[in-house]
Amino acid sequence: MIKIVFALFFVGCLGSSGQSSGQFYSSNACTCDQLSYESDCTKMGLQCTWNGTSCSTLDCNLITDATACAANLKCMWTPNSSGGSSCKTFTFCSQLTGATQVACLQMSNNCPFTDGTKCGSSNQLHSCSHLTASQYCEGYISQDGICMWRDSTGCTAATECAPLTLAECNSAKYGCKYTNNVCSQQLCSDYTTQQTCTFVMETINKGVYQLCSWDSTAGKCQIAQNYGGLGQGNCYSTTLGTARWVSTSAGGECLSCYAQTLFVFIIALFIIMI
């Protein structure tokens, strides 16, 4: 459960751009039609298709993978008449049934809520303080972030690294580090090689990331002031699919997609960590 919980820290709840400061937000995920290069289009997995000149969203009925279907906000993975399941055009969360949030999310990323039977949208989520027992609190996905239970404070949202246990801290990849028996914020300066100097999660419950850049002269990793250090080969991947490479008269530029989609889960990480 802990690994599931912290994979879901990649929930994005913000919709603004941080390009000028070197920040990016998981809520600004690129859509297929924003991608101009085949290499970026294919990195979207089974959500997009490349026709030789442009990238477009794959029709829901052509998606045969449950994970890719659920991750595509235009689609939902539902039972069909033959007794199996298939990918269909998304309509309403209430048409989906799931006893847990995980079950609902595995059918559609639009639907992180459940009343124990029917799934629901993000605006139906409870706040952490609404939950009064540890079995309902621990790992609950709320509008505030992921909930955690502490006997002294009850149910609260995990908003910073300091109060996290060892297991929780180690699972909050790119956001927290555990050293000297203390969980603390991961920093760009903690990376010691150019290969690992990519980004850190700046706010663990809001999907806010900070790009890092390698200073070859000083031999250290530092905060990136903008997207200028990213090229065509790593613009999309280094920003977790929130920016794309755009051709310009000067050669090209890495630009944020500004999709502003609420509750976009990086579903591949979510499934891997279950």
Side-chain angles (χ1 to χ4, degrees):
M1 173 58 75
I2 290 298
K3 287 187 177 182
I4 296 174
V5 169
F6 283 92
L8 292 172
F9 269 175
F10 289 93
V11 173
C13 299
L14 299 178
S16 57
S17 165
Q19 182 178 342
S20 61
S21 63
Q23 286 182 328
F24 62 93
Y25 303 84
S26 57
S27 57
N28 287 343
C30 297
T31 58
C32 300
D33 58 1
Q34 289 176 309
L35 305 178
S36 304
Y37 291 88
E38 182 178 7
S39 57
D40 290 341
C41 185
T42 56
K43 288 174 185 174
M44 287 287 281
L46 299 176
Q47 292 189 59
C48 304
T49 181
W50 183 260
N51 65 8
T53 58
S54 63
C55 187
S56 60
T57 302
L58 194 64
D59 290 340
C60 297
N61 61 0
L62 297 178
I63 300 176
T64 58
D65 179 79
T67 300
C69 178
N72 189 326
L73 299 183
K74 295 181 180 179
C75 308
M76 60 183 183
W77 186 255
T78 61
N80 55 35
S81 57
S82 63
S85 295
S86 59
C87 195
K88 300 176 183 177
T89 300
F90 177 79
T91 51
F92 302 102
C93 290
S94 58
Q95 291 189 322
L96 304 176
T97 58
T100 65
Q101 288 184 305
V102 170
C104 289
L105 286 168
Q106 287 176 331
M107 290 180 283
S108 173
N109 284 184
N110 291 303
C111 310
F113 175 81
T114 180
D115 62 6
T117 303
K118 287 188 176 295
C119 301
S121 61
S122 59
N123 61 10
Q124 295 174 264
L125 291 171
H126 300 301
S127 64
C128 294
S129 59
H130 176 85
L131 307 173
T132 57
S134 61
Q135 64 265 37
Y136 303 117
C137 167
E138 191 68 37
Y140 182 81
I141 305 163
S142 76
Q143 286 284 13
D144 310 317
I146 305 301
C147 301
M148 63 180 185
W149 181 265
R150 298 292 186 265
D151 291 335
S152 58
T153 57
C155 191
T156 58
T159 60
E160 57 185 6
C161 301
L164 303 184
T165 66
L166 171 61
E168 292 168 343
C169 188
N170 288 339
S171 296
K173 192 176 182 182
Y174 301 114
C176 304
K177 60 182 179 182
Y178 198 83
T179 54
N180 298 321
N181 298 318
V182 175
C183 186
S184 60
Q185 179 69 42
Q186 181 81 31
L187 304 173
C188 289
S189 57
D190 292 322
Y191 297 129
T192 57
T193 67
Q194 186 171 0
Q195 289 69 33
T196 58
C197 181
T198 53
F199 56 80
V200 293
M201 189 191 300
E202 196 168 73
T203 309
I204 62 175
N205 68 320
K206 294 294 184 180
V208 183
Y209 292 82
Q210 172 63 54
L211 285 172
C212 304
S213 64
W214 184 257
D215 185 332
S216 299
T217 302
K220 63 180 182 179
C221 187
Q222 59 190 12
I223 292 174
Q225 299 303 314
N226 50 52
Y227 285 20
L230 301 179
Q232 181 181 341
N234 64 354
C235 171
Y236 180 83
S237 58
T238 302
T239 61
L240 296 176
T242 65
R244 82 284 192 201
W245 187 257
V246 177
S247 296
T248 66
S249 57
E253 185 178 7
C254 184
L255 296 175
S256 178
C257 285
Y258 308 134
Q260 299 186 13
T261 305
L262 296 181
F263 277 92
V264 175
F265 292 82
I266 298 182
I267 200 69
L269 292 175
F270 167 65
I271 294 298
I272 287 171
M273 299 185 77
I274 291 179

